[in-house]
Amino acid sequence: MSRTLRHRFTLLALLVGAFLLAIQLVPYGRAHASPPVRAEPPWPGQTRDLAARACFDCHSNQTQWPWYASVAPVSWLVQRDVDEGRGKLNFSEWDRQQEVEEAAEQIQEGEMPPWYYVVLHPEARLSRAEQSTLIAGLTQLGGGRDRGDRRR
C-alpha cells in the first residue's frame, strides 16, 4: 500500500470515528421512557407468556433496553421501532384502541417479530405451535377492538 493511500485511509478512519463520536451527543433514543402499565388485557391461556417473550420489547411499556439501544445511530432505530410498535399495539395501555387483529395477521404472515429482532433476541423465536397459540390468543383478545369498540 502506498504511503499516500495509507494516509487517506487513516484520514477517512479518523473522520468516521469522529462522526461516530459526535452523533453520540444527539439525545434521541437515550432517554428511554418506561411509562407505567395502565391496563393489561384479560390474557387467555399462554398468550401473555408468549407475547412477553416475543412482543413486549416493542409493544408494551415494559421494554428491556439492551446496551446497544444507547449507542447512536442504532439507538435511533430502536427508539423508532418501539415508538411505532407502542403506537399500534401496546399491551400496557389496554384502555385505548389497539390494532390486535393486524398484529395477529402479521405474526401469521411471518412479519412479526421482525427478523432483525429475532437475530438479536433468539428467545423471541416462536415455534409454529407457539405462533398458533399466540395468534389464537390475540384473536380472542381482538374481538372488535380494532374497530374502536372498547370492551370493559
Side-chain angles (χ1 to χ4, degrees), residues 107-130:
I107 294 166
Q108 179 71 40
E109 294 167 2
E111 296 174 16
M112 284 289 153
W115 68 267
Y116 53 86
Y117 180 79
V118 176
V119 167
L120 296 170
H121 304 271
E123 70 280 1
R125 185 179 318 277
L126 301 177
S127 69
R128 293 217 188 275
E130 290 171 326

Side-chain angles (χ1 to χ4, degrees), residues 2 12-13 22 29 35 41 51 55 61 68 74 77 81 94 99 111 141 143:
S2 74
L12 178 62
C55 312
N61 294 345
Y68 55 82
V74 176
L77 301 172
D81 283 352
W94 205 249
E99 296 181 17
E111 296 174 16
L141 288 175

Side-chain angles (χ1 to χ4, degrees), residues 54-55 58-59 81 84-86 88-89 91 99-116 126 128 131-132 134-135 138-139 146:
C55 312
C58 292
H59 295 285
D81 283 352
E84 286 180 8
R86 287 178 179 171
K88 292 181 179 186
L89 174 63
F91 293 114
E99 296 181 17
V100 184
E101 290 170 358
E102 182 180 333
E105 288 174 18
Q106 288 183 340
I107 294 166
Q108 179 71 40
E109 294 167 2
E111 296 174 16
M112 284 289 153
W115 68 267
Y116 53 86
L126 301 177
R128 293 217 188 275
Q131 287 175 349
S132 294
L134 180 57
I135 290 166
L138 292 177
T139 301
D146 291 333

Side-chain angles (χ1 to χ4, degrees), residues 37-49 51 56 89-96 98 100 133-134 136-143 145 149-152:
V37 175
R38 294 191 328 216
E40 280 200 23
W43 299 101
Q46 294 179 295
T47 307
R48 187 185 193 288
D49 292 339
F56 269 31
L89 174 63
N90 190 333
F91 293 114
S92 298
E93 296 179 2
W94 205 249
D95 54 346
R96 69 170 176 82
Q98 304 290 339
V100 184
T133 300
L134 180 57
L138 292 177
T139 301
Q140 186 176 339
L141 288 175
R145 275 192 165 297
D149 301 336
R150 295 220 170 95
R151 297 184 314 178
R152 301 227 185 234

